[in-house]
Amino acid sequence: MNTNDIPGLEFDHYTSAQARANRTTVETIHRSAYADAISTGDPFNQPDAFMQRFDAYTDPHSGRFELVVARIDGRPAGQTWGWPLTANSRWWSNLELDSGDRAAFTAENGLRTFALSEIMVCNEFTGQGLAHALHDELLTSRPEERATLLVEPDNTPAYRAYLRWGWHRIGTLKPSWPNAPTLHALTRDLESHR
């Protein structure tokens, strides 16, 4: 993705402490990107539930969290974040692997897998390639071997985009968060995309 294709685009990178200091921006982007899901009353996507998850992700003791915020002409336009999985990470807890040795697949050491937790774009900036630009900005310099993400099976636009960007399904997973849906777990090799 060539970020020159989006005029006025800039990225800001934040650690967990810096992300917490920008909590208002994070919630503002979420409210715009998930306006339709919020309006349905879906409890998982409500701002309070979302921000509780954000606070857990950015816990100073949780590891090397990274947030990337996209701004277009200085205005928040989207965000993405994630962190490397450690031996104590609960990410794979409810994974039902399509095939293979689950224990070997889920063995983590902090250097093997980067969990891409969120990509969201404010409604007014959709359709410009910003999600792909955020994706690449976060993952291009990651040192891990692979990345993983979770996607709702019926989120066809996102699912198709992930497949185009080199991701593939490895199983299903229901996060332990209250009201979480069962999601498809995808992975992508990072070493071959550097």
Side-chain angles (χ1 to χ4, degrees):
M1 175 72 203
N2 184 350
T3 56
N4 294 331
D5 295 341
I6 305 173
L9 175 62
E10 296 179 335
F11 296 108
D12 294 319
H13 292 252
Y14 300 100
T15 65
S16 60
Q18 294 166 333
R20 283 185 165 207
N22 284 278
R23 200 172 184 279
T24 301
T25 300
V26 169
E27 184 173 350
T28 298
I29 292 170
H30 167 74
R31 284 180 178 274
S32 174
Y34 282 85
D36 291 342
I38 292 168
S39 71
T40 68
D42 174 9
F44 187 73
N45 288 307
Q46 293 307 305
D48 288 346
F50 174 80
M51 294 310 294
Q52 286 176 356
R53 294 191 301 271
F54 174 78
D55 290 340
Y57 300 149
T58 58
D59 181 315
H61 306 292
S62 66
R64 300 180 316 267
F65 176 93
E66 182 178 4
L67 164 68
V68 176
V69 173
R71 298 179 192 277
I72 295 179
D73 297 328
R75 295 174 49 213
Q79 62 194 357
T80 186
W81 68 65
W83 56 86
L85 298 180
T86 66
N88 298 324
S89 296
R90 297 179 312 182
W91 181 274
W92 298 122
S93 294
N94 299 322
L95 175 69
E96 292 187 23
L97 198 60
D98 288 340
S99 65
D101 179 348
R102 186 183 187 285
F105 184 85
T106 61
E108 298 295 349
N109 59 12
L111 300 171
R112 185 178 190 202
T113 308
F114 182 79
L116 194 165
S117 179
E118 295 285 347
I119 298 179
M120 60 187 74
V121 174
C122 293
N123 280 333
E124 65 187 286
F125 297 107
T126 61
Q128 301 178 36
L130 185 54
H132 195 185
L134 279 160
H135 170 274
D136 289 355
E137 181 70 15
L138 181 61
L139 293 181
T140 298
S141 62
R142 295 301 317 173
E144 293 82 12
E145 299 170 26
R146 65 184 184 180
T148 184
L149 62 76
L150 305 174
V151 63
E152 292 190 33
D154 60 354
N155 185 349
T156 304
Y159 211 136
R160 286 182 180 160
Y162 294 138
L163 295 177
R164 281 194 315 273
W165 302 344
W167 295 83
H168 64 277
R169 177 189 149 134
I170 51 90
T172 60
L173 192 153
K174 182 175 174 59
S176 57
W177 293 106
N179 304 303
T182 297
L183 305 167
H184 285 192
L186 309 182
T187 61
R188 179 181 189 256
D189 177 65
L190 292 179
E191 293 176 328
S192 65
H193 286 90
R194 288 191 186 108

